[in-house]
Amino acid sequence: MSNEYHIERYISKLQQIAISNPNPVRSFKLAASVLYRRMPISVGVNSYKTDPFMLNYGKNEHSIYLHAEVSAIKTALRILNVDDLSSCTLVVARVKRKGPQEEYVSALAKPCSGCLRCIAEFGIKNVWYTTTSGVEQL
């Protein structure tokens, strides 16, 4: 089974987690997960929760709410050491509605500049994210 096939199958699970997020920032429904040897180690969602860890990775001084990518990495650090993160894969999924009553569809989940700094600092080299037409790899 190819890595891309595995990622695409896992994306649908993350999208369901994003849809069920009760407290997203505005209408952004994102979920991210750190995979270690193809196994999910942690999951994070974006939320209005502020976190001191996020202060280091906000894209600006007003970006204080926890991003899904940073949340997943922070949670993974409870299980893995920093060196292990360099062999992990980060997967990010976003969903949105085209209209108020329509179904959720895949949306662009490319990590912001702050999240990219966090990803780089912890040495995560494999990053996959949703787009409106599928998945892309950084």
Side-chain angles (χ1 to χ4, degrees):
M1 181 184 315
S2 75
N3 193 38
E4 187 171 354
Y5 175 77
H6 176 73
I7 296 300
E8 287 178 0
R9 287 187 57 216
Y10 192 66
I11 288 279
S12 65
K13 292 176 185 176
L14 280 179
Q15 288 175 323
Q16 290 304 309
I17 292 168
I19 289 168
S20 66
N21 181 1
N23 193 25
V25 178
R26 296 192 306 259
S27 62
F28 297 110
K29 290 192 166 269
L30 283 101
S33 183
V34 173
L35 306 177
Y36 182 68
R37 297 182 181 163
R38 293 188 172 196
M39 296 297 297
I41 298 301
S42 66
V43 173
V45 295
N46 64 320
S47 72
Y48 270 117
K49 177 183 176 187
T50 59
D51 190 293
F53 195 75
M54 187 67 207
L55 291 175
N56 297 322
Y57 304 109
K59 60 183 175 182
N60 60 51
E61 64 187 39
H62 304 292
S63 182
I64 60 171
Y65 300 113
L66 196 56
H67 291 203
E69 302 93 326
V70 173
S71 176
I73 291 169
K74 179 183 177 191
T75 303
L77 287 169
R78 295 179 189 157
I79 299 163
L80 302 173
N81 65 46
V82 174
D83 293 336
D84 288 335
L85 281 177
S86 65
S87 61
C88 289
T89 297
L90 179 70
V91 182
V92 189
R94 177 179 170 211
V95 293
K96 68 177 183 177
R97 291 182 193 236
K98 288 187 174 184
Q101 302 301 321
E102 294 187 38
E103 291 184 17
Y104 284 100
V105 295
S106 186
L108 183 62
K110 188 173 184 178
C112 71
S113 60
C115 290
L116 287 173
R117 280 196 322 275
C118 183
I119 292 164
E121 185 172 311
F122 288 101
I124 299 173
K125 295 170 188 65
N126 297 312
V127 180
W128 293 83
Y129 60 92
T130 58
T131 67
T132 56
S133 61
V135 295
E136 295 283 329
Q137 185 176 23
L138 281 180

